[in-house]
Amino acid sequence: GAGVSQSPSNKVTEKGKDVELRCDPISGHTALYWYRQSLGQGLEFLIYFQGNSAPDKSGLPSDRFSAERTGGSVSTLTIQRTQQEDSAVYLCASSLPGTSGGVTQYFGPGTRLLVL
Amino acid sequence: QKEVEQDPGPLSVPEGAIVSLNCTYSNSAFQYFMWYRQYSRKGPELLMYTYSSGNKEDGRFTAQVDKSSKYISLFIRDSQPSDSATYLCAMSRSQGGSEKLVFGKGTKLTVNP
């Protein structure tokens, strides 16, 4: 079956521009996570969506970062006024909640963002 | 101190060797311990997860958790060149979603034919 998909796979932008990154989770997965993977920092949690509950935004590094999830499915991560330190791989994951499902997060291939 | 520490390596072994990968952590609230494998330019994929202390075996892979020492390990027996990847440990406090995974930085493993 189809896994988690992300687009674009690569994005090069200029400092100060806004970017939007898209994630399509596995069908039926109600939980969706965004992580950032940068050199020397490993994978860092950004934001979590679960059903209709308020998202957990505790990992967003600044107010330039925001995310939404429409219709409980597709999610968009937006970075405004990009900075060079935003360059990283942005990974999306989805999972089923409940017993044994919550820890099994399925990751997409990521979007590689380069801010010049 | 970071919540999860993992030696980034790199680690290079000959084919057939036993590989030991380790992580330490500081947050005693962690209950679920996971190992992910990430090939170059791909997303991480879950290898195994363990709840609380103990061992879990799956084929050539064995995961161990020692909560008293806050130390987890992944052993790979009869390592193969296809095992060459970055291995990430991850932890969470609960399994019911709503809990972010906290990752180590990953250990890059190369298995030489």
Side-chain angles (χ1 to χ4, degrees):
Chain A
V4 177
S5 61
Q6 293 186 245
S7 61
S9 54
N10 294 281
K11 177 72 176 179
V12 181
T13 191
E14 295 179 348
K15 178 182 172 181
K17 300 283 190 182
D18 297 352
V19 295
E20 283 190 353
L21 312 179
R22 177 187 168 104
C23 172
D24 280 276
I26 293 172
S27 177
H29 281 195
T30 57
L32 186 148
Y33 302 77
W34 283 98
Y35 294 86
R36 177 170 69 175
Q37 188 173 32
S38 50
L39 282 174
Q41 294 300 317
L43 266 155
E44 300 173 295
F45 166 80
L46 296 176
I47 189 169
Y48 160 74
F49 295 91
Q50 171 52 47
N52 295 321
S53 302
D56 175 359
K57 305 179 182 179
S58 61
L60 294 178
S62 77
D63 59 9
R64 295 186 296 105
F65 288 72
S66 63
E68 63 177 20
R69 189 176 185 191
T70 54
S73 181
V74 171
S75 177
T76 302
L77 177 69
T78 300
I79 309 173
Q80 295 179 311
R81 305 180 302 282
T82 52
Q83 303 294 311
Q84 289 180 330
E85 61 263 29
D86 298 334
S87 297
V89 178
Y90 290 82
L91 289 157
C92 176
S94 70
S95 72
L96 289 167
T99 55
S100 78
V103 297
T104 308
Q105 295 185 20
Y106 295 86
F107 282 81
T111 293
R112 283 157 187 79
L113 175 66
L114 177 62
V115 182
L116 301 176
Chain B
Q1 181 188 11
K2 287 185 70 71
E3 280 190 292
V4 180
E5 299 278 1
Q6 183 177 10
D7 186 339
L11 184 62
S12 181
V13 302
E15 182 175 354
I18 296 175
V19 176
S20 173
L21 303 166
N22 312 291
C23 290
T24 59
Y25 63 96
S26 58
N27 189 342
S28 58
F30 289 138
Q31 297 284 347
Y32 289 86
F33 304 90
M34 288 136 280
W35 286 96
Y36 281 81
R37 177 175 62 194
Q38 186 175 25
Y39 291 113
S40 180
R41 303 187 72 79
K42 301 287 187 183
E45 58 177 330
L46 180 67
L47 279 175
M48 304 175 69
Y49 81 88
T50 308
Y51 171 69
S52 194
S53 285
N55 296 355
K56 189 172 185 178
E57 188 173 320
D58 184 2
R60 297 184 295 109
F61 298 88
T62 299
Q64 289 185 350
V65 175
D66 182 349
K67 291 190 72 179
S68 63
S69 302
K70 296 189 177 67
Y71 187 88
I72 71 170
S73 301
L74 177 71
F75 297 95
I76 307 174
R77 292 184 298 281
D78 188 24
S79 56
Q80 303 295 308
S82 58
D83 296 329
S84 298
T86 296
Y87 289 80
L88 302 151
C89 63
M91 306 176 190
S92 73
R93 293 182 294 182
S94 70
Q95 69 171 4
S98 77
E99 190 61 44
K100 63 184 180 183
L101 295 182
V102 181
F103 283 86
K105 290 186 178 182
T107 300
K108 186 172 183 179
L109 171 67
T110 301
V111 181
N112 301 300

